[in-house]
Amino acid sequence: MRSYLIELMTFFTGNLPSSAGITKNSETAGRIRASQIAALTNVTPLMMLANIVNAGVVLLFIQNDPYAEYLPIWGIALCFFSALGIYKWQKVRDRKSYSASMRAQKKFLQSAALFGLIWAFIPMVYYPHSGPGTQVLVIAIAGGMMGGGAMSLCSIPKAMLIWLLSMGAGCAIGLAIAGKPSDYGLLALLVCFIIMLLHSGRSLALNYLNNLISAFSLEEKNDTISVLLKDFSENTSDWLWQSDEYGTLIHGQEGFETYLGTIPQCFCVTGKKETADFVKIKGANMIKKYWSNREAFMDVQVNAFVDGKIRWISIAGKPLYDVKDNFIGFRGVASDITDKKEAEERIAYLAHNDALTGLVNRTHFSRSITEHINSKDEKGLWAVMFLDLDGFKLVNDSKGHAAGDQLLEIVAKRIKSLCTDNDVVARLGGDEFAILCRSANSIQALTTFAEKLINAIKQPYQLVSDHSVSGISTSIGIALGDHGAASEESLLHNADLALYRAKHEGKATHRFFDLEMDQLERERRLLEQDLREALSKDQLSVSFQPLVSAETKKTEGFEALVRWNHPERGIISPTEFIPIAERMGLITEIGHKVLCEACYHAASWPAHLFVSVNLSPQQFINSRIVKCVTEALTTTGLEAHRLELEVTEGLLIENTENVTNVLKELKEIGVSIALDDFGTGYSSLSYLLKFPFDKLKIDRSFLMAIETDEMAKNVFAAIAKLGNILELKITAEGVETKEQVKVLESYDCTQFQGFLFGRPLTIEDMPAFLMQEHNCTNDVDTQTDDESKMLA
């Protein structure tokens, strides 16, 4: 009972019944409130009239009772507010509102409270002090007003609740003041009466609400259907047609004339009333066949050439017969399916061709190879060629994807112009192309053809966007076909291996596949497996190579270098396994390991020493490098200014804005940023302005020629001077001889790094080295060239 009463009160105190599932600020809630107000407005005159009549009864029969002198004031007040209610109703009765706010509904709640309190005055004041006759009258009037008011106000549940509570409170107070046992019994009956009214009101309110929601839903569906029908009638390309027994159209001529440019009048085969118009329409003979057999048909597609374009019509029809079973013609539906046919043709085209260049795609190319292998025609020398553009990514990143697309289109045309009609040219994706040379006179002919392709592609490009592009080249891998031994998969694999060799050996060249490449590929795959195992078994270690001051020749820090001591192959060079790790996506894991281990060991070094760690471009892809660096510093306790991060120029041409933001975040942490291998790669001076570098590391390739090559000296001097102007530290890498040191001392270098000053040290060697550094000065002059070479 208690839970029921709580549920009942929750229903009446809510803005809308919770069972309706409507939020108070929704459009539907506003429409419901407007409908509730309209329903209550419609019964307002009747309620006001009932108030006035009942007031007259009270004034007529309660005259000689105590406190009767207050009745005229009470009656005047009730009649005044009732008249005011009728006046307001006259002002708003013709007003239609689509939606109403909770504020608008609040006025009716206030009115319910006002009238409830006015009527509560009668039982509260006159019942306790009147005789039995007056008490019966009071109870009758109060009960009638409570019941009638509750039913009238049920469209707004909260107003009904306020009305019943107001009057119920007055009645309860009157009965309690009277104080007789029978009055307490009446009080219990009053409570039951109010609960029954609330229960009945709840049922009526829910029915009313559900009816409103159903009406709104039906209205919305009707509106939607109306919109859809209107849209269909305005945009559909379908129409009904009907013909007589001779094939002459008697309905739907406009549709045929609009889409086919003519009115077909030749469905039949009798020749009667036949015209030549339908002869222009391809596919009409199929309809004539169904016509002659009096058969229903569906989706017969016909087409005609209209205004320089082929238009397609789908026609469906069935024969018509009169009550005497006489054939009287056909009736059906026709629709314009030109767009659908064009889309199907486009899809069919794209299934075999590249959308950008018009060349065949990988699927078609693979099928062409298989068909050529399986063909029984006499075959001479033939081959599959893979082409990959060198320098295309730089164009795409610097000039935009639109310029890159234009470049690919021109490349496709140049390749196509050098091929014969017997060749199959494909774009495999990105900047990769392929050629199936189905006939070649000799190996020399293929070589000459490859050289022509390389020469044609390296010519400058003038794009539509007024961009002039040069520096594009191609690497080509060639796999010879061997009927009876080769398969499509093996040929593509071999051509890819040959392409990999061409790119690895300098680009802008071509290579033929040989068995050695396959052996190298198998070894590379084994190395990939071993590298995964090395990571899982923690076989990678970190060594530290000293960086010394150019002025004092004392060690200022160490560069962390990853090393792999393979259990069977021994030491594997980083130049061999780092590219594999980058290709496999393992470089991020390796880089994080080196970073954490380097910070851990550096934290135990003397405070004046720093550690330098190389970062791979892949570590910047998801921008987690900032978090990784922060965690490494926090976990190991290494001060941020003692950590130096090295990046290469290759990183800077990819997503420049993002890389700049990440480098700035790293600088804000307090670490130093060094540009490694400066002087190789792209070496754009704009990088020095865009990025917050602290140091330039000049590549060892300059030092190898600095002793004898005057040009190398001048370039090195220019770089060193530029770095000093920009207040950047300069580190010379690969210092191996004292002669190099003598030359470098004439420039403004900051640091030296190379075998002359120390080879990479293992973790175990570091304590002894640091102790030696602490006890004595690093005297470079005591070392000999032979010792340096031995260290190397």
Side-chain angles (χ1 to χ4, degrees):
M1 182 66 180
R2 181 184 177 187
S3 61
Y4 171 76
L5 291 176
I6 293 174
E7 179 185 353
L8 198 63
M9 294 304 295
T10 302
F11 173 84
F12 280 98
T13 54
N15 294 304
L16 284 172
S18 58
S19 60
I22 301 170
T23 58
K24 63 181 180 180
N25 295 321
S26 65
E27 180 184 355
T28 302
R31 294 189 66 185
I32 289 174
R33 284 192 291 266
S35 299
Q36 290 173 326
I37 291 173
L40 196 54
T41 301
N42 291 335
V43 298
T44 294
L46 183 61
M47 289 192 298
M48 296 302 104
L49 183 60
N51 278 301
I52 295 172
V53 171
N54 284 317
V57 172
V58 170
L59 291 172
L60 182 62
F61 290 99
I62 305 177
Q63 293 182 351
N64 300 318
D65 294 89
Y67 307 107
E69 63 270 18
Y70 298 113
L71 281 176
I73 299 174
W74 174 85
I76 291 172
L78 183 61
C79 291
F80 171 76
F81 286 115
S82 298
L84 183 62
I86 294 174
Y87 171 74
K88 290 183 177 180
W89 166 77
Q90 287 179 329
K91 292 181 62 176
V92 301
R93 61 179 179 177
D94 296 326
R95 187 182 301 171
K96 302 295 183 184
S97 297
Y98 178 79
S99 180
S101 64
M102 295 176 62
R103 184 178 180 184
Q105 198 180 66
K106 188 176 181 181
K107 297 178 181 179
F108 289 87
L109 302 182
Q110 293 171 347
S111 296
L114 176 64
F115 281 96
L117 292 174
I118 291 174
W119 277 105
F121 176 79
I122 299 300
M124 182 173 63
V125 174
Y126 293 101
Y127 181 84
H129 307 290
S130 300
T134 301
Q135 288 181 334
V136 171
L137 176 64
V138 169
I139 291 174
I141 291 176
M145 289 300 294
M146 290 175 67
M151 295 303 101
S152 300
L153 295 172
C154 68
S155 61
I156 302 180
K158 188 177 288 188
M160 177 183 174
L161 177 66
I162 292 172
W163 167 259
L164 289 175
L165 292 180
S166 300
M167 284 206 67
C171 293
I173 292 172
L175 291 170
I177 293 174
K180 293 183 292 184
S182 60
D183 294 325
Y184 290 116
L186 290 175
L187 181 59
L189 291 175
L190 174 66
V191 174
C192 294
F193 180 59
I194 292 175
I195 292 175
M196 289 177 62
L197 288 175
L198 290 174
H199 178 79
S200 300
R202 177 178 179 271
S203 299
L204 292 173
L206 280 177
N207 289 336
Y208 177 74
L209 178 65
N210 290 331
N211 289 336
L212 281 179
I213 294 174
S214 298
F216 294 157
S217 177
L218 181 60
E219 182 181 338
E220 290 177 0
K221 290 179 180 178
N222 290 336
D223 290 342
T224 302
I225 292 172
S226 298
V227 171
L228 292 175
L229 288 175
K230 182 179 178 182
D231 182 69
F232 178 79
S233 63
E234 291 178 351
N235 299 293
T236 184
S237 57
D238 295 6
W239 69 95
L240 297 173
W241 62 269
Q242 185 174 340
S243 69
D244 60 16
E245 66 271 25
Y246 302 110
T248 302
L249 286 172
I250 58 177
H251 181 70
Q253 297 94 330
E254 298 83 358
F256 284 105
E257 191 170 37
T258 298
Y259 292 107
L260 290 182
T262 183
I263 301 176
Q265 293 177 311
C266 192
F267 288 101
C268 62
V269 293
T270 62
K272 251 183 176 179
K273 295 188 178 181
E274 189 171 346
T275 70
D277 289 337
F278 206 66
V279 179
K280 301 177 183 177
I281 303 175
K282 296 181 179 179
N285 288 333
M286 182 63 67
I287 296 179
K288 293 173 67 175
K289 177 182 176 182
Y290 286 113
W291 195 285
S292 61
N293 295 328
R294 303 292 190 262
E295 294 178 358
F297 58 90
M298 292 183 61
D299 195 28
V300 175
Q301 298 180 5
V302 301
N303 66 79
F305 201 70
V306 182
D307 297 331
K309 177 182 179 180
I310 296 179
R311 298 208 68 93
W312 287 85
I313 302 295
S314 174
I315 304 176
K318 65 177 182 178
L320 298 176
Y321 299 90
D322 60 15
V323 293
K324 296 181 180 181
D325 206 26
N326 295 320
F327 173 71
I328 58 174
F330 263 71
R331 179 187 295 158
V333 178
S335 60
D336 176 37
I337 58 170
T338 303
D339 292 341
K340 177 184 176 183
K341 293 294 291 186
E342 290 177 349
E344 290 175 351
E345 292 173 358
R346 179 65 176 167
I347 292 172
Y349 175 82
L350 293 178
H352 299 279
N353 296 83
D354 174 57
L356 178 64
T357 62
L359 302 177
V360 302
N361 58 18
R362 182 184 293 272
T363 302
H364 188 118
F365 187 73
S366 298
R367 186 181 298 117
S368 298
I369 296 175
T370 302
E371 290 174 354
H372 186 69
I373 292 174
N374 295 333
S375 68
K376 298 180 180 179
D377 299 336
E378 186 68 26
K379 297 182 182 67
L381 183 65
W382 62 282
V384 172
M385 307 177 74
F386 270 14
L387 294 81
D388 185 83
L389 299 185
D390 305 318
F392 173 74
K393 182 172 177 53
L394 181 60
V395 175
N396 224 18
D397 292 340
S398 61
K399 301 185 183 300
H401 290 284
D405 289 346
Q406 293 178 28
L407 178 62
L408 291 174
E409 291 182 77
I410 299 174
V411 169
K413 291 178 181 178
R414 292 184 182 181
I415 296 175
K416 191 72 175 175
S417 66
L418 294 175
C419 296
T420 66
D421 294 338
N422 197 34
D423 298 331
V424 179
V425 185
R427 180 187 175 214
L428 304 182
D431 58 351
E432 297 179 347
F433 296 85
I435 304 172
L436 171 59
C437 301
R438 287 190 278 208
S439 59
N441 295 328
S442 62
I443 297 294
Q444 182 58 44
L446 287 172
T447 300
T448 302
F449 179 46
E451 291 173 350
K452 287 182 179 180
L453 289 169
I454 294 172
N455 185 62
I457 291 175
K458 74 178 181 181
Q459 300 303 315
Y461 295 81
Q462 187 64 40
L463 306 182
V464 177
S465 55
D466 292 333
H467 286 131
S468 181
V469 176
S470 58
I472 300 296
S473 61
T474 185
S475 301
I476 302 176
I478 308 172
L480 300 178
D482 180 12
H483 184 60
S487 66
E488 174 262 336
E489 293 85 359
S490 64
L491 279 170
L492 295 179
H493 174 72
N494 294 345
D496 191 44
L497 290 178
L499 174 63
Y500 179 81
R501 174 66 66 85
K503 295 181 74 68
H504 185 70
E505 294 184 357
K507 303 180 181 181
T509 186
H510 71 278
R511 290 291 181 269
F512 284 88
F513 170 79
D514 58 43
L515 293 178
E516 180 186 356
M517 295 180 186
D518 195 38
Q519 178 63 30
L520 291 175
E521 174 66 11
R522 284 195 291 269
E523 291 180 1
R524 183 178 65 83
R525 290 181 179 177
L526 289 175
L527 197 60
E528 289 179 355
Q529 297 175 5
D530 291 346
L531 183 56
R532 290 187 185 276
E533 187 176 350
L535 269 176
S536 63
K537 293 184 178 181
D538 202 24
Q539 294 177 357
L540 300 179
S541 61
V542 179
S543 298
F544 299 92
Q545 186 172 24
L547 289 100
V548 303
S549 168
E551 181 179 357
T552 65
K553 306 303 184 295
K554 291 184 178 181
T555 301
E556 295 182 329
F558 296 86
E559 179 179 359
L561 303 171
V562 63
R563 293 292 182 260
W564 182 11
N565 189 1
H566 194 281
E568 297 177 359
R569 305 185 187 191
I571 300 296
I572 298 178
S573 171
T575 58
E576 185 176 356
F577 73 82
I578 290 297
I580 294 176
E582 290 178 337
R583 189 165 55 250
M584 296 172 64
L586 299 177
I587 193 64
T588 300
E589 183 179 352
I590 294 175
H592 183 66
K593 169 185 169 61
V594 173
L595 174 66
C596 293
E597 191 167 339
C599 291
Y600 171 77
H601 291 289
S604 64
W605 300 344
H608 68 281
L609 297 177
F610 69 90
V611 65
S612 183
V613 179
N614 290 275
L615 296 181
S616 167
Q618 289 189 20
Q619 292 176 267
F620 282 76
I621 290 177
N622 55 14
S623 300
R624 290 191 68 253
I625 185 62
V626 177
K627 181 179 179 181
C628 291
V629 171
T630 304
E631 290 178 351
L633 293 173
T634 303
T635 303
T636 61
L638 181 68
E639 296 90 341
H641 70 273
R642 294 180 60 197
L643 175 62
E644 179 180 271
L645 300 176
E646 298 184 19
V647 299
T648 60
E649 293 171 301
L651 166 69
L652 307 181
I653 65 170
E654 299 181 6
N655 200 356
T656 303
E657 182 177 355
N658 180 61
V659 172
T660 303
N661 294 334
V662 173
L663 291 178
K664 287 180 179 178
E665 290 184 47
L666 291 172
K667 286 281 289 183
E668 291 173 359
I669 296 174
V671 303
S672 300
I673 307 294
L675 179 58
D676 195 15
D677 297 336
F678 189 77
T680 62
Y682 305 99
S683 299
S684 173
L685 297 181
S686 64
Y687 298 150
L688 303 182
L689 300 176
K690 294 180 181 178
F691 296 90
F693 293 115
D694 299 289
K695 178 192 291 187
L696 295 181
K697 298 190 72 173
I698 302 178
D699 188 72
R700 62 178 298 164
S701 59
F702 284 99
L703 270 67
M704 294 173 65
I706 201 172
E707 299 178 41
T708 57
D709 191 335
E710 196 66 28
M711 181 62 71
K713 292 181 181 179
N714 293 335
V715 172
F716 189 96
I719 295 175
K721 187 174 182 180
L722 175 64
N724 288 319
I725 292 174
L726 297 177
E727 298 182 352
L728 301 176
K729 296 179 181 179
I730 304 296
T731 298
E733 295 182 294
V735 182
E736 298 183 358
T737 66
K738 290 191 291 184
E739 285 73 15
Q740 290 174 341
V741 173
K742 291 179 181 178
V743 175
L744 294 174
E745 285 178 338
S746 62
Y747 306 122
D748 296 326
C749 277
T750 310
Q751 290 175 339
F752 295 148
Q753 179 181 3
F755 289 152
L756 181 63
F757 299 98
R759 60 184 178 82
L761 302 166
T762 64
I763 299 298
E764 293 76 14
D765 296 333
M766 285 296 295
F769 183 87
L770 293 174
M771 182 64 69
Q772 181 182 0
E773 276 289 311
H774 181 71
N775 293 330
C776 62
T777 302
N778 185 7
D779 188 1
V780 177
D781 293 333
T782 61
Q783 296 188 21
T784 66
D785 291 345
D786 291 338
E787 289 172 334
S788 301
K789 293 177 181 177
M790 182 180 66
L791 287 172

